[in-house]
Structures are given as structure tokens and as C-alpha cells.
Amino acid sequence: MSRSRAWAELLRLPALFTVPGDALSGAAATGVAPNSRTLLAIGSSLCLYEAGMALNDWADREEDAAERPHRPLPSGRIQPSSALAAACALTAAGLALAARAGRPALTVAAPLAATVWAYDLALKHTPAGPVAMAAARGLDHLLGAAATSGRTREALPSAALLGTHTLAVTTVSRRETQGGSSLPPLAALAATALLSRLVARGRAAAGAGTGPGTAAHDRPALTLDGALRIALAGAYAATAGRPYAHAALNPSPPLTQRAVGGGIRATIPLQAALAARAGAGLTAVAIAALAPIGRRYARKVSIT
């Protein structure tokens, strides 16, 4: 059990539930129903995400020995060579699953894997670190679109929204062990408010009229899908916004870490809101159902 727990900590098991929604919301953006290739994309995403988790701790093992000696590698519960081997094996598995989903999926998965490795080994502690992490999340979203439909163009706007959220979370996370600055959580709070508003408004109808008398026609009544989208946007704002506000008022390490955890958990309602925004209500509900499961596991294993 202790060894299993060590691997659960290394791989940040609760954060794993934020991954399937990338591919599912990406598929929804294309207007194509999820299919067997979508499942392959989810499998690829899970493998590449966990490869990044294992590689992250391998690359940070000396830093963690000073700041987080309880982590699996510095505590000796997992050998560094095992973590590196796991990262390599998971990366290979992720690329193999993407290849099974088709050439368009592999075309996205390859730069995604490269971004994960570049972030962990070279970019994490540079100004490009948050941008690289945002790019990885956006590419993961596009992976679902490419695998499901063979195209990604329709998913680019939602990938940008998801990447912006990730950029904000990653910027806050850079000070989670030191704290001391209110600016990152304040900026993340502003980004959350903007994203919530954009997602809640939905997408403009294609071919909407511009002449006289069209304004009333173009203002849609609140539908069930619209109510779902607004509710999910509100859940996203609450999940991320409250801990960001607390960290802005008191940027101590514990509250900054809670803000990072809240931002990670908020990824799920944001993905669900993006799916609802694309008109895929059932997909949105399926994504949202992952949130309570991840929350339950987060009580046992840290999400950061």
C-alpha cells in the first residue's frame, strides 16, 4: 500500500481527472460525436499527462529534497531511475495510442509530447514556462478534435480559452512554496472572471443578420443548453475564483498552494462549459461528473 501511495503522489492521481475533458471538449468543438478515436485520444492524453508528472519530479528531485523532502523521490520511496523510466514508457504509450487514432491525432500528439519534455527539462523555471504549460493544455484539447474529426480549426478558439486558464494557474504555481506576492493570484482572478464571462455568453450564431430588425431575432431565449453553460461557467468561476481571492489577500504558501489546487480543479467545469458552449450538453455533463470523483481523491493525495 505504501508503494502504491507513493506512485499516486508522484503521478498526482486527483489531477488525472482533469485530463479526459480536454479531448472530450475538443471533440465537441468540431461538432462530431465522440467515437472510438476519441477514446484513443483520451488514453493518449492520460499517458502523456502522467509522463509529465513523473518527469517533473525526476527533474526537480534536488529542489524537492530541500523544499519538499516528503515527496516520493527525495524521501526514497521511489527511485529516480524508476520515475524516469515511467516517464519514457508513458510517453511512448501516449504516442502509440495517438498513432492508432490516426495521422491527424499523431500530428498533434508529437508536439504535445515534445512540449511536455521541454517544459520539465528546460522551460519550467524560465519566463517561457507558463506559456509552455498553456500550450500543452491547448494541444491536448486539439488532440481530441484531431482524433475525432481529423481537423482542429473549429477547436482553436476553445483551445485558446483553456490555455489562458492554464497560463494563469501555472503563473500562480511558480510561487506555491514561497508565497509572498499578491500579483499572480490577482491576475489569475481577473483571467477567471474574463473566461467565465466569455464562456457564459456562448458562441455567436453563424450568419447572424446585421440589418434592421434583426437584433431581437438574434437574441436567443435561454435554453436548457444555455442554462447548463451558464451554470458550469459559474461553477468554474467559484472553484477557481475563491482560492485566488484568498491567496491575493494573504499570499502565504498554504493559501497559494490552495489557489493552485483550486485552479487545477476548476479545469473540469471549464472543460464542461466549453462542451456546453459547443452544444454538446451530454458531453458537458459527462465531463462535469469527473469533478466530484477528483475531489474525493484529492482528500487522500495532494493534487499539486
Side-chain angles (χ1 to χ4, degrees):
M1 289 295 294
S2 60
R3 185 167 179 79
S4 297
R5 181 176 179 82
W7 278 100
E9 292 178 17
L10 179 74
L11 299 175
R12 278 98 165 161
L13 184 61
L16 197 61
F17 295 96
T18 70
V19 178
D22 285 344
L24 289 170
S25 57
T30 68
V32 178
N35 50 43
S36 59
R37 294 187 301 277
T38 312
L39 295 178
L40 288 169
I42 292 173
S44 175
S45 296
L46 291 170
C47 288
L48 294 176
Y49 187 88
E50 292 294 45
M53 294 295 102
L55 187 64
N56 176 80
D57 277 26
W58 181 83
D60 284 355
R61 60 194 185 279
E62 293 182 3
E63 178 182 327
D64 285 346
E67 297 183 353
R68 300 178 180 180
H70 61 281
R71 292 293 300 160
L73 267 60
S75 66
R77 289 177 292 155
I78 295 177
Q79 293 300 313
S81 58
S82 299
L84 181 59
C88 293
L90 286 164
T91 300
L95 292 174
L97 288 168
R100 287 286 303 275
R103 182 176 295 179
L106 182 59
T107 301
V108 176
L112 170 57
T115 302
V116 169
W117 280 74
Y119 173 82
D120 282 332
L121 298 182
L123 301 177
K124 184 189 311 179
H125 301 297
T126 72
V131 177
M133 184 63 79
R137 184 66 80 166
L139 285 168
D140 203 34
H141 182 76
L142 296 178
L143 176 57
T148 303
S149 68
R151 56 185 191 272
T152 59
R153 186 173 63 180
E154 299 97 326
L156 288 173
S158 49
L161 297 178
L162 197 55
T164 300
H165 165 72
T166 305
L167 178 67
V169 178
T170 309
T171 301
V172 175
S173 74
R174 291 164 75 87
R175 299 193 64 87
E176 65 178 317
T177 58
Q178 298 92 10
S181 176
S182 296
L183 186 57
L186 274 175
L189 185 61
T192 300
L194 176 61
L195 290 172
S196 301
R197 181 177 181 184
L198 290 174
V199 174
R201 286 174 59 187
R203 297 192 295 193
T210 57
T214 62
H217 176 72
D218 290 340
R219 271 199 308 268
L222 185 63
T223 63
L224 184 60
D225 282 347
L228 177 63
R229 183 185 69 244
I230 292 171
L232 289 168
Y236 163 66
T239 304
R242 186 175 300 173
Y244 284 157
H246 290 166
L249 292 172
N250 178 13
S252 63
L255 289 182
T256 303
Q257 290 167 16
R258 288 185 190 177
V260 175
I264 294 172
R265 288 191 298 273
T267 305
I268 296 177
L270 176 58
Q271 294 162 337
L274 290 172
R277 182 172 178 256
L282 289 178
T283 298
V285 171
I287 295 172
L290 296 170
I293 304 174
R295 200 161 47 239
R296 185 177 67 184
Y297 279 99
R299 298 190 186 105
K300 302 177 181 180
V301 179
S302 174
I303 199 171
T304 65

Coordinates of all heavy atoms in Angstrom, one line a residue, residues 22-23 26-27 30 41 104-105 108-109 135-148 151-160 162:
D22 N -10.2 17.4 -21.7 CA -9.5 18.1 -22.8 C -10.0 17.5 -24.2 O -10.4 18.2 -25.1 CB -8.0 17.9 -22.7 CG -7.4 18.8 -21.6 OD1 -8.1 19.7 -21.2 OD2 -6.3 18.5 -21.2
A23 N -9.9 16.2 -24.3 CA -10.2 15.5 -25.6 C -11.7 15.6 -25.8 O -12.1 15.9 -27.0 CB -9.8 14.1 -25.5
G26 N -12.6 19.1 -26.8 CA -12.1 19.3 -28.2 C -12.9 18.7 -29.3 O -13.2 19.3 -30.3
A27 N -13.4 17.5 -29.0 CA -14.2 16.8 -29.9 C -15.5 17.5 -30.1 O -16.1 17.7 -31.2 CB -14.5 15.3 -29.5
T30 N -15.7 20.4 -32.6 CA -15.8 20.1 -34.0 C -17.2 19.8 -34.4 O -17.5 19.6 -35.6 CB -14.9 19.0 -34.4 OG1 -15.4 17.7 -33.8 CG2 -13.5 19.2 -33.9
A41 N -7.7 9.1 -28.0 CA -7.1 10.4 -27.7 C -7.1 10.6 -26.2 O -6.1 11.1 -25.7 CB -7.9 11.5 -28.4
P104 N -3.8 12.5 -38.1 CA -4.1 13.9 -37.6 C -3.8 13.9 -36.1 O -3.3 14.9 -35.5 CB -5.5 14.2 -37.9 CG -5.8 13.3 -39.1 CD -5.0 12.1 -38.9
A105 N -4.2 12.9 -35.4 CA -4.0 12.8 -33.9 C -2.5 12.8 -33.6 O -2.0 13.5 -32.7 CB -4.7 11.6 -33.3
V108 N -0.7 16.0 -33.8 CA -0.8 16.9 -32.6 C -0.1 16.3 -31.4 O 0.5 17.1 -30.6 CB -2.3 17.1 -32.3 CG1 -2.5 17.9 -31.0 CG2 -3.0 17.8 -33.4
A109 N -0.2 15.0 -31.2 CA 0.4 14.4 -30.0 C 1.9 14.5 -30.0 O 2.5 14.6 -28.9 CB 0.0 12.9 -30.0
A135 N 0.4 26.0 -23.7 CA 0.5 25.3 -25.0 C 0.2 23.9 -24.9 O -0.5 23.3 -25.7 CB 1.8 25.6 -25.6
A136 N 0.7 23.2 -23.9 CA 0.5 21.8 -23.7 C -1.0 21.5 -23.5 O -1.6 20.5 -24.1 CB 1.3 21.2 -22.5
R137 N -1.7 22.3 -22.6 CA -3.1 22.0 -22.4 C -3.9 22.3 -23.7 O -4.9 21.6 -24.0 CB -3.6 22.9 -21.2 CG -5.0 22.7 -20.8 CD -5.3 21.3 -20.3 NE -4.9 21.2 -18.9 CZ -5.3 20.2 -18.1 NH1 -6.1 19.2 -18.5 NH2 -4.8 20.1 -16.8
G138 N -3.6 23.4 -24.4 CA -4.3 23.7 -25.6 C -4.1 22.6 -26.7 O -5.0 22.2 -27.4
L139 N -2.9 22.1 -26.8 CA -2.6 20.9 -27.7 C -3.4 19.7 -27.3 O -3.9 18.9 -28.2 CB -1.1 20.6 -27.8 CG -0.2 21.7 -28.5 CD1 1.2 21.4 -28.3 CD2 -0.5 21.6 -30.0
D140 N -3.5 19.5 -26.0 CA -4.3 18.3 -25.6 C -5.7 18.4 -26.0 O -6.4 17.4 -26.4 CB -4.2 18.2 -24.0 CG -4.4 16.8 -23.6 OD1 -4.1 15.8 -24.3 OD2 -5.0 16.6 -22.5
H141 N -6.3 19.6 -25.9 CA -7.6 19.9 -26.4 C -7.7 19.6 -27.9 O -8.7 19.0 -28.4 CB -7.9 21.4 -26.1 CG -9.3 21.8 -26.4 ND1 -10.4 21.5 -25.7 CD2 -9.8 22.6 -27.4 CE1 -11.5 22.0 -26.3 NE2 -11.1 22.7 -27.3
L142 N -6.7 20.1 -28.6 CA -6.7 19.9 -30.1 C -6.6 18.4 -30.5 O -7.0 18.0 -31.5 CB -5.6 20.7 -30.7 CG -5.8 22.3 -30.6 CD1 -4.6 22.9 -31.3 CD2 -7.1 22.7 -31.3
L143 N -5.9 17.7 -29.6 CA -5.7 16.2 -29.8 C -7.1 15.5 -29.9 O -7.3 14.7 -30.8 CB -4.9 15.6 -28.7 CG -4.7 14.1 -28.8 CD1 -4.0 13.7 -30.1 CD2 -3.8 13.7 -27.6
G144 N -8.0 15.9 -29.0 CA -9.3 15.3 -29.1 C -10.1 15.7 -30.4 O -10.8 14.9 -31.0
A145 N -9.9 16.9 -30.8 CA -10.5 17.4 -32.0 C -10.0 16.6 -33.2 O -10.7 16.1 -34.1 CB -10.4 18.9 -32.2
A146 N -8.6 16.5 -33.3 CA -8.0 15.9 -34.4 C -8.3 14.4 -34.5 O -8.6 13.9 -35.6 CB -6.5 16.1 -34.3
A147 N -8.3 13.7 -33.4 CA -8.6 12.3 -33.4 C -10.0 12.0 -33.8 O -10.3 11.1 -34.5 CB -8.3 11.7 -32.0
T148 N -11.0 12.8 -33.3 CA -12.4 12.6 -33.5 C -12.8 12.9 -34.9 O -13.6 12.2 -35.6 CB -13.2 13.4 -32.5 OG1 -12.8 13.1 -31.2 CG2 -14.7 13.1 -32.7
R151 N -9.7 17.1 -37.9 CA -9.4 18.6 -38.1 C -9.4 19.2 -36.8 O -9.9 18.7 -35.8 CB -10.5 19.2 -39.0 CG -11.9 19.1 -38.5 CD -12.9 19.6 -39.5 NE -14.2 19.7 -39.0 CZ -15.1 18.7 -39.0 NH1 -14.8 17.6 -39.6 NH2 -16.3 18.9 -38.5
T152 N -8.8 20.4 -36.7 CA -8.6 21.1 -35.5 C -9.1 22.6 -35.5 O -9.2 23.2 -34.5 CB -7.1 21.1 -35.0 OG1 -6.4 21.8 -36.1 CG2 -6.6 19.7 -34.8
R153 N -9.4 23.1 -36.7 CA -9.6 24.6 -36.8 C -10.8 25.0 -35.9 O -10.7 26.1 -35.2 CB -9.9 24.9 -38.3 CG -10.1 26.4 -38.5 CD -10.2 26.8 -40.0 NE -11.4 26.2 -40.5 CZ -11.8 26.3 -41.8 NH1 -11.0 27.0 -42.6 NH2 -12.9 25.8 -42.2
E154 N -11.9 24.3 -35.9 CA -13.0 24.7 -35.0 C -12.7 24.7 -33.6 O -13.3 25.4 -32.8 CB -14.2 23.8 -35.3 CG -14.7 23.7 -36.7 CD -14.2 22.5 -37.4 OE1 -13.0 22.1 -37.2 OE2 -14.9 21.9 -38.3
A155 N -11.7 24.0 -33.1 CA -11.3 23.9 -31.7 C -10.3 24.9 -31.3 O -10.0 25.0 -30.1 CB -10.8 22.5 -31.4
L156 N -9.8 25.7 -32.2 CA -8.7 26.6 -31.9 C -9.2 27.7 -30.9 O -8.5 28.0 -29.9 CB -8.2 27.3 -33.1 CG -7.3 26.4 -34.0 CD1 -7.0 27.1 -35.3 CD2 -6.0 26.0 -33.3
P157 N -10.4 28.3 -31.0 CA -10.8 29.3 -30.0 C -11.0 28.7 -28.6 O -10.5 29.3 -27.6 CB -12.2 29.8 -30.6 CG -12.1 29.5 -32.0 CD -11.4 28.2 -32.2
S158 N -11.6 27.5 -28.5 CA -11.7 27.0 -27.2 C -10.4 26.5 -26.6 O -10.1 26.6 -25.4 CB -12.7 25.8 -27.2 OG -12.4 24.9 -28.2
A159 N -9.5 26.1 -27.5 CA -8.1 25.7 -27.0 C -7.4 27.0 -26.4 O -6.7 26.9 -25.4 CB -7.3 25.2 -28.2
A160 N -7.6 28.1 -27.0 CA -7.1 29.4 -26.5 C -7.6 29.7 -25.2 O -6.9 30.2 -24.3 CB -7.3 30.5 -27.5
L162 N -8.9 27.6 -22.9 CA -8.3 26.6 -22.0 C -6.9 26.9 -21.7 O -6.4 26.8 -20.5 CB -8.5 25.2 -22.6 CG -8.4 24.0 -21.6 CD1 -9.4 24.1 -20.4 CD2 -8.7 22.7 -22.4

